[in-house]
C-alpha cells in the first residue's frame, strides 16, 4: 500500500512514518499543495491514500482537494487539520475528502481511519 503525505511540516511526515511503520507500506511526500497536484498529475501516480493537511503555503489543502479530485475522482483522501468546526468538516467533505482527522491524533486513531477506509486492514 502507498500513502501520499501532503503536509508542510517535516515532523508530521516523520511522525506518520513512525506511526505507520508496517510491512508493505510505502510513502510518497509533498510539502505543499502545488507539489501535491503536480505529483498527482504524473501518469505513474498510484497512492492508495492521500493524507492532506489543510493549512500549507502556496496552495492550501482545502484548495488542493478539489484539484486532486478533478484529476482522480475516486482518490481516497483524509484531511488532517487542527480545524474542528462543523463548517470546516462539512466544507472538506463537500470538496471531496473521504474522511477528516483532527490534529493531534493518536496512532490508534489514524490506523483505525485508514483501515476502515481501505477495507481490509493493514
Amino acid at each position: 500500500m502507498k500513502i501520499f503525505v501532503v503536509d508542510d511540516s517535516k515532523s508530521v511526515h516523520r511522525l506518520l512514518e513512525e506511526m505507520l511503520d508496517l510491512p508493505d507500506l510505502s510513502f510518497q511526500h509533498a510539502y505543499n499543495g502545488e507539489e501535491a497536484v503536480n505529483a498527482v498529475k504524473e501518469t505513474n501516480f498510484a497512492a492508495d491514500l492521500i493524507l492532506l493537511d489543510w493549512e500549507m503555503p502556496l496552495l492550501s489543502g482545502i484548495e488542493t482537494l478539489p484539484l486532486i479530485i478533478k484529476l482522480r475522482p475516486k482518490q481516497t483522501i483524509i484531511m488532517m487539520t487542527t480545524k474542528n468546526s462543523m463548517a470546516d468538516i462539512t466544507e472538506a467533505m463537500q470538496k471531496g475528502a473521504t474522511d477528516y482527522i483532527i490534529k493531534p491524533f493518536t496512532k490508534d486513531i489514524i490506523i483505525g481511519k485508514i483501515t476502515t477506509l481501505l477495507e481490509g486492514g493493514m
Side-chain angles (χ1 to χ4, degrees):
M1 176 175 28
K2 186 173 189 179
I3 296 179
F4 185 31
V5 179
V6 184
D7 196 300
D8 60 320
S9 170
K10 289 182 181 183
S11 63
V12 169
H13 289 261
R14 283 191 305 273
L15 177 66
L16 285 166
E17 284 199 22
E18 289 172 14
M19 286 180 164
L20 304 172
D21 183 22
L22 302 165
D24 300 323
L25 185 62
S26 64
F27 291 89
Q28 182 175 351
H29 300 277
Y31 298 92
N32 62 60
E34 285 183 5
E35 287 180 18
V37 171
N38 288 334
V40 171
K41 284 180 181 176
E42 296 294 321
T43 55
N44 63 344
F45 180 82
D48 298 291
L49 171 68
I50 297 175
L51 298 175
L52 180 62
D53 184 34
W54 187 305
E55 298 176 84
M56 296 182 293
L58 302 179
L59 193 62
S60 72
I62 201 67
E63 294 167 326
T64 302
L65 182 59
L67 300 175
I68 291 173
I69 293 299
K70 185 176 181 182
L71 294 166
R72 300 194 182 265
K74 296 181 189 238
Q75 181 67 58
T76 302
I77 302 172
I78 298 177
M79 287 296 297
M80 305 182 298
T81 182
T82 57
K83 293 181 171 281
N84 61 5
S85 75
M86 188 52 72
D88 291 330
I89 295 168
T90 300
E91 179 181 6
M93 301 306 276
Q94 287 175 340
K95 289 187 175 183
T98 312
D99 208 339
Y100 195 96
I101 191 167
I102 298 170
K103 294 178 181 178
F105 46 81
T106 65
K107 179 178 181 174
D108 290 340
I109 290 171
I110 190 74
I111 288 176
K113 288 227 182 232
I114 291 170
T115 302
T116 299
L117 287 176
L118 300 180
E119 302 173 348
M122 297 171 60

